[in-house]
Amino acid sequence: MSGLLPRSSLTLSVLLFLLLCSCPALGKKKLYIGALFPMSGGWPGGQACLPSAQMALDLVNKRRDILPDYELELIHYDSMCDPGEATKLLYDLLYTEPIKIVLMPGCSSVSTLVAEAARMWNLIVLSYGSSSPALSNRQRFPTFFRTHPSATLHNPTRVQLFQKWKWTKIATIQQTTEVFTSTLDDLEERVKEAGIEISVRQSFLTDPAVAVKNLKRQDARIIVGLFYETEARKVFCEVYKEKLFGKKHVWFLIGWYADNWFKIKDPSINCTVEQMTEAVEGHVTTEIVMLNPETVRGASNLTSQEFLTQLMSKLGGKNSEETGGFQEAPLAYDAVWALALALNKTVGPLRAKGLRLEDFNYNNRGITAEIYRALNTSSFEGVSGHVVFDAQGSRMAWTLIEQLQGGSYKKIGYYDSTKGNLSWYGNDKWIGPGPPADQTVVIEEFRYLSQRLFVTVSVFAGFGILLGIICLTFNIYNSNVRYIQNSQPYLNNMTAVGCMMALAAIFPLGIDGLHVHKTQFPVVCQFRLWLLGLGFSLAYGSMFTKIWWVHTVFTKKEDKKDRRKHLEPWKLYATVGVLLGIDVLSLMIWQIVDPLHITVEKFTREAPKADLDVLIQPLLEHCSSQKMNTWLGVVYGYKGLLLLLGIFLAYETKSISTEKINDHRAVGMAIYNVAVLCMITAPVTMILSSQQDASFAFASLAIVFSVYITLVVLFVPKMRRLITRGEWQSDTQETMKTGSSTNNNDEEKSRQLERENKELQKIIQEKEERVSELRNQLSERQALRSRRRASTISNQNHSTPPLNVHHSDPRSLAPPPGYPAPTLEPHPVSASFANSSSLYQHDSKISRNNCHTSRLQLLYK
């Protein structure tokens, strides 16, 4: 036996050592926390908060990196959320061993009592369920901290929403209790700093009817309501009666009501559930985020969802909705962790001062100061979110923004008060066309061109461009045909290109802010101007040049006309170039000196069709410049004069026929068409400039019709002629056919004959003078010969009767029938007079030195 005793004592020692190692609490000094958990009463938050705090204590005590030398122990009582009961329990906590290093109350009313008295015992107070703004007074509560945010934390969120939706006037209605009064005082200070006015402020004690009527009378739109859930039902029953709801109003309420608070039957109101549901629809709530929405592991190494799972297990399967303080449970959990981390942070500084946590007593301010500094600088991730305290010891947390949509609350955003960030939640946002306004709001609405109209006109413009390409190709391909050559094909090409440019201008003409950004709109404006300007110069300028040349040649005096009958094409091209150069120069000066930019025209405000408290401000974009009227006056004046001159020239040359420009009559018709349409369109589009559809339709269709008529009139007859008669016709045949086709006008023939008569009369007069002179000479010669013959006969003694010459009768000079005309020497008759049969040439033209005897009778009729 004696030999076994030492062996048994050794075994006992080993077992004792293992027991000490396996029990972490052994050898640790205890620190006691005095807590008041309301297990009953007005807010039985202790039902869930106490298990949550015990969960946190268990984890903290198991951690070796947090307070390794200490063990936290919770001494708690049921305060029943009653200040009177809390006073008795506080006395027991303070005057009963052991010493408590920290106090943890729950309700705001209890926390107010405890925090005000704790300063006398140098105790730190850390609350997990107090929201009263009054507790943020550092002068009154110098050692108070809370993980439950103050009720005033709703106010920064509300102010952010007011500023986001540009509200400058709000109204308030509150229940006259301290918590709501202090919250409203804080809100008033914050909105004043933000430049927002509280125009109406109403309060009530039990009956809100008068207050709601005053809100209606003052035309309140944005209303912040601060009252308990039971009073909320009374308020919204009166709201329904006064019709103070709908899209013209928005209500801001507290978010900790039950989700179905407006459906609960209440004998104190006389409104049905349907009426209450209609009245509360669309209201906004702000609620403190008490459970971290993100999946992160904080100081406890638990995510928020893992915490909820463990808490439900600890509650034994109780219904969370029937368990008091379930929403605040994460705050109680994080309160214990905040205290443990703060105490752990004080160990080092206290050791440096020769102090320890277990040395704390109610007279030791140094240890209290160290705990205060540690809590004041707390910052960690908890299951309720990021834990940090402001200068007043209140928790700074996220705020959840919800809206009642279709009878249920939808999350629409979050506000992070620590960073001042307002973010929308997912795809759920404000319902309806937008939030209501604090007053009748004006919504700017741009008027854009009808897309159906734009597409329809664009189709016509596209076909017109295709037609222009066909005409241009036809003209180029057949440019060697004489008939096409006589119509000046290069000018026709310019006309076709100009028409296509004018049609292309329709596309930028229909582009507005619906298609391009406002920074690109000036480019579209310039594009319109250049296409229209250059297209007009090419198309109309080439036609004007043709008609101008025809008029110039055939209206000049006879001596100058002969010098102009030979057409020089380069002069025609030079004329078009001058017209085009004038346009290019003027457009460049306009663009450089006073470039086009976007201007917005405002119209009379309109009421919307829907039942909204807004006015529509119609806006219309225009291409304009600072001196737009001056530039338009210059351009319209120059173009107008050109159009009028073209009409005059076309009228003057309508009966002229020339082979050099054989289509000038078609050109004249095209000029009539373009001039009339332009002169009508320009003023009408200026009048209709405020009606985007009508203005575009009128201008674009005028361009389309002008181009179509011009292309058809100028090119279709040429195509028809070449198709029906063929390109193989000889030049003589073409000339004859052209002559027959151009001489079918009786009036033109009459004028041509008159001109020929005048020429022939002048020629005849000259010839008569010459004949008279020749007759005189002939008479003198005959007389001389007679005298010579007489002298010869007398010398020969031969007597012959004298020759009688009658100078007055030209027929006496004619030879007898069958005898040749006598040849007179040395004065022969003029060859031009003798060869009168060759007076007319092949082209039926009469020269000044030739006279056809067959027409003498006609000329003297």
Side-chain angles (χ1 to χ4, degrees):
M1 292 292 295
S2 62
L4 294 174
L5 288 175
R7 184 175 298 175
S8 61
S9 62
L10 178 61
T11 303
L12 183 61
S13 300
V14 172
L15 291 175
L16 183 61
F17 176 76
L18 292 175
L19 181 61
L20 291 173
C21 292
S22 63
C23 183
L26 296 178
K28 289 187 176 184
K29 303 177 181 63
K30 287 189 177 184
L31 300 176
Y32 296 95
I33 303 170
L36 298 175
F37 287 96
M39 308 303 293
S40 59
W43 178 65
Q47 296 177 7
C49 290
L50 177 57
S52 178
Q54 290 173 340
M55 288 170 52
L57 283 174
D58 293 340
L59 285 177
V60 168
N61 290 331
K62 290 179 181 179
R63 293 276 291 268
R64 296 187 178 182
D65 57 334
I66 301 175
L67 297 174
D69 300 329
Y70 298 95
E71 178 185 357
L72 298 179
E73 184 174 333
L74 192 66
I75 300 176
H76 59 88
Y77 298 105
D78 179 12
S79 67
M80 296 183 294
C81 205
D82 182 15
E85 182 67 19
T87 302
K88 175 181 176 297
L89 297 176
L90 178 62
Y91 181 86
D92 293 340
L93 287 172
L94 294 177
Y95 289 98
T96 303
E97 293 290 340
I99 295 176
K100 286 74 179 179
I101 195 169
V102 172
L103 296 177
M104 291 183 62
C107 296
S108 294
S109 56
V110 173
S111 296
T112 301
L113 172 68
V114 173
E116 195 167 15
R119 61 189 301 179
M120 307 300 298
W121 281 268
N122 296 315
L123 280 169
I124 298 294
V125 179
L126 180 59
S127 176
Y128 54 86
S130 302
S131 62
S132 174
L135 291 168
S136 297
N137 189 344
R138 266 284 178 255
Q139 299 297 325
R140 185 179 174 188
F141 312 105
T143 61
F144 179 77
F145 292 89
R146 53 180 166 182
T147 55
H148 192 299
S150 170
T152 58
L153 190 64
H154 298 268
N155 292 335
T157 307
R158 292 165 180 154
V159 173
Q160 284 289 325
L161 293 176
F162 299 160
Q163 292 178 328
K164 176 179 178 58
W165 290 316
K166 298 179 181 180
W167 291 329
T168 57
K169 292 182 180 180
I170 65 170
T172 63
I173 179 172
Q174 63 156 118
Q175 185 181 356
T176 52
T177 60
E178 181 185 5
V179 61
F180 300 128
T181 300
S182 55
T183 301
L184 187 55
D185 291 340
D186 178 78
L187 177 63
E188 191 168 4
E189 293 179 3
R190 292 180 184 272
V191 296
K192 186 176 181 180
E193 293 176 358
I196 300 171
E197 175 189 359
I198 299 181
S199 58
V200 184
R201 184 170 181 172
Q202 296 293 319
S203 61
F204 66 94
L205 183 59
T206 57
D207 187 4
V210 176
V212 173
K213 289 181 180 179
N214 290 336
L215 292 175
K216 176 71 173 182
R217 186 167 53 252
Q218 296 292 331
D219 193 25
R221 306 289 183 88
I222 314 303
I223 309 169
V224 179
L226 301 173
F227 29 71
Y228 287 113
E229 181 179 324
T230 54
E231 279 67 26
R233 285 189 284 270
K234 297 179 183 179
V235 169
F236 276 90
C237 184
E238 298 298 327
V239 165
Y240 178 82
K241 296 175 182 178
E242 298 295 333
K243 302 301 179 183
L244 200 62
F245 63 92
K247 295 181 179 180
K248 295 182 180 180
H249 304 85
V250 61
W251 284 82
F252 282 84
L253 303 181
I254 301 170
W256 39 259
Y257 299 163
D259 287 349
N260 62 341
W261 64 271
F262 53 92
K263 297 180 180 179
I264 298 175
K265 292 185 178 181
D266 193 337
S268 62
I269 63 174
N270 56 357
C271 293
T272 64
V273 174
E274 290 75 15
Q275 292 172 343
M276 291 291 292
T277 303
E278 184 179 357
V280 300
E281 178 66 21
H283 78 267
V284 178
T285 65
T286 52
E287 182 179 358
I288 304 300
V289 177
M290 298 181 185
L291 189 68
N292 196 341
E294 300 179 358
T295 306
V296 295
R297 297 185 181 276
S300 63
N301 200 29
L302 289 179
T303 64
S304 57
Q305 295 302 319
E306 290 173 349
F307 163 76
L308 288 180
T309 302
Q310 294 185 13
L311 178 61
M312 291 299 297
S313 177
K314 196 170 184 65
L315 291 176
K318 292 182 180 179
N319 187 355
S320 60
E321 296 182 358
E322 297 177 356
T323 304
F326 186 83
Q327 290 184 341
E328 290 80 8
L331 303 179
Y333 185 85
D334 286 343
V336 174
W337 275 98
L339 176 59
L341 294 174
L343 293 175
N344 184 68
K345 192 184 296 185
T346 61
V347 173
L350 289 176
R351 185 182 296 114
K353 296 178 181 180
L355 298 173
R356 297 171 300 177
L357 286 173
E358 63 268 26
D359 295 336
F360 174 79
N361 57 59
Y362 298 139
N363 297 319
N364 194 329
R365 293 186 177 181
I367 297 178
T368 302
E370 288 296 332
I371 298 174
Y372 180 91
R373 280 192 289 269
L375 274 174
N376 202 37
T377 58
S378 295
S379 179
F380 66 94
E381 292 294 332
V383 295
S384 64
H386 189 69
V387 179
V388 64
F389 302 102
D390 61 14
Q392 286 75 35
S394 298
R395 167 77 177 277
M396 298 177 65
W398 282 32
T399 307
L400 172 64
I401 307 167
E402 293 182 318
Q403 186 186 24
L404 189 69
Q405 302 178 7
S408 61
Y409 287 99
K410 302 293 184 181
K411 297 177 181 179
I412 62 173
Y414 287 100
Y415 177 68
D416 185 1
S417 59
T418 60
K419 300 179 181 178
N421 291 335
L422 179 64
S423 57
W424 292 114
Y425 181 84
N427 295 324
D428 295 323
K429 294 185 179 180
W430 189 283
I431 61 173
D438 54 352
Q439 53 189 346
T440 302
V441 69
V442 178
I443 299 178
E444 294 184 347
E445 184 178 279
F446 279 92
R447 289 180 173 177
Y448 295 121
L449 181 67
S450 171
Q451 296 305 295
R452 181 177 298 179
L453 174 63
F454 178 59
V455 172
T456 303
V457 176
S458 298
V459 170
F460 282 103
F463 280 114
I465 293 175
L466 180 60
L467 177 61
I469 294 174
I470 294 173
C471 294
L472 181 63
T473 305
F474 162 80
N475 203 66
I476 295 175
Y477 182 76
N478 297 286
S479 59
N480 293 327
V481 179
R482 179 178 177 83
Y483 179 71
I484 301 298
Q485 286 180 343
N486 288 342
S487 67
Q488 298 300 318
Y490 291 106
L491 292 181
N492 294 337
N493 294 342
M494 295 180 187
T495 302
V497 172
C499 289
M500 288 188 288
M501 291 180 66
L503 287 174
I506 292 177
F507 298 101
L509 196 64
I511 295 177
D512 48 27
L514 184 64
H515 304 93
V516 296
H517 192 264
K518 61 181 180 180
T519 57
Q520 301 172 343
F521 202 77
V523 179
V524 177
C525 295
Q526 297 289 353
F527 206 49
R528 295 178 184 174
L529 187 63
W530 281 87
L531 280 177
L532 281 174
L534 300 184
F536 178 86
S537 296
L538 280 174
Y540 183 80
S542 57
M543 294 189 297
F544 177 83
T545 301
K546 284 185 179 183
I547 211 73
W548 171 81
W549 183 88
V550 173
H551 182 271
T552 302
V553 170
F554 287 93
T555 57
K556 289 294 181 181
K557 294 181 179 180
E558 302 298 332
D559 55 342
K560 297 182 179 180
K561 186 187 301 183
D562 294 337
R563 297 197 297 267
R564 290 181 174 268
K565 283 187 177 179
H566 297 286
L567 179 60
E568 299 180 6
W570 70 268
K571 293 183 179 180
L572 301 178
Y573 309 148
T575 305
V576 178
V578 169
L579 296 176
L580 189 64
I582 293 174
D583 267 354
V584 171
L585 182 61
S586 60
L587 290 176
M588 289 181 62
I589 295 174
W590 187 352
Q591 186 172 359
I592 294 172
V593 175
D594 190 14
L596 291 173
H597 59 273
I598 182 174
T599 57
V600 178
E601 180 184 2
K602 293 185 178 181
F603 299 91
T604 304
R605 295 175 180 176
E606 304 172 353
K609 296 180 180 179
D611 184 20
L612 298 175
D613 190 29
V614 297
L615 288 176
I616 305 298
Q617 175 66 76
L619 302 175
L620 183 61
E621 298 170 326
H622 291 289
C623 291
S624 182
S625 57
Q626 293 181 356
K627 298 181 179 180
M628 188 70 175
N629 293 333
T630 303
W631 292 109
L632 288 179
V634 172
V635 172
Y636 285 169
Y638 162 65
K639 303 287 186 184
L641 291 176
L642 206 60
L643 291 171
L644 291 175
L645 183 57
I647 294 176
F648 171 76
L649 296 178
Y651 176 78
E652 286 290 312
T653 59
K654 63 183 172 60
S655 59
I656 295 177
S657 175
T658 175
E659 292 183 4
K660 297 299 183 182
I661 300 180
N662 57 18
D663 62 347
H664 75 280
R665 289 192 183 87
V667 171
M669 292 178 59
I671 287 178
Y672 288 144
N673 160 65
V674 173
V676 171
L677 286 176
C678 288
M679 289 180 179
I680 295 175
T681 303
V684 171
T685 52
M686 293 181 67
I687 296 173
L688 299 178
S689 60
S690 298
Q691 303 177 27
Q692 70 279 8
D693 289 347
S695 177
F696 172 77
F698 207 92
S700 58
L701 291 179
I703 295 173
V704 169
F705 289 150
S706 298
V707 169
Y708 270 78
I709 294 174
T710 300
L711 294 178
V712 169
V713 167
L714 290 185
F715 292 95
V716 171
K718 297 180 177 64
M719 297 179 183
R720 180 176 175 275
R721 178 185 178 88
L722 295 185
I723 292 173
T724 57
R725 300 188 181 184
E727 298 179 6
W728 55 85
Q729 298 178 102
S730 65
D731 293 346
T732 304
Q733 290 174 324
E734 288 188 4
T735 303
M736 292 175 62
K737 291 177 181 179
T738 303
S740 63
S741 64
T742 56
N743 291 329
N744 57 2
N745 192 323
D746 294 339
E747 183 179 357
E748 183 182 359
K749 290 181 178 180
S750 176
R751 293 185 181 183
Q752 185 176 355
L753 290 175
E754 288 179 1
R755 288 195 297 270
E756 291 178 354
N757 275 335
K758 291 180 181 180
E759 292 179 359
L760 291 175
Q761 287 175 3
K762 187 181 296 185
I763 294 172
I764 290 172
Q765 184 178 359
E766 292 178 356
K767 296 303 181 182
E768 285 180 349
E769 293 176 358
R770 181 61 177 166
V771 168
S772 177
E773 181 182 354
L774 291 176
R775 285 174 179 171
N776 291 333
Q777 292 179 3
L778 182 59
S779 298
E780 293 176 357
R781 289 177 184 271
Q782 290 287 352
L784 180 59
R785 284 184 178 183
S786 297
R787 288 194 296 269
R788 288 179 179 176
R789 287 178 181 176
S791 62
T792 304
I793 293 173
S794 62
N795 292 332
Q796 295 176 359
N797 295 319
H798 179 74
S799 174
T800 304
L803 179 64
N804 295 324
V805 180
H806 300 279
H807 298 284
S808 60
D809 188 2
R811 288 178 294 180
S812 63
L813 299 180
Y819 288 83
T823 301
L824 303 179
E825 296 294 340
H827 297 284
V829 180
S830 172
S832 62
F833 181 74
N835 192 18
S836 61
S837 62
S838 61
L839 181 63
Y840 278 94
Q841 297 176 355
H842 178 71
D843 58 354
S844 300
K845 300 294 183 177
I846 301 178
S847 66
R848 296 177 60 88
N849 296 323
N850 296 298
C851 181
H852 200 290
T853 57
S854 64
R855 294 204 177 183
L856 291 178
Q857 184 177 4
L858 174 64
L859 294 176
Y860 284 98
K861 286 185 179 179

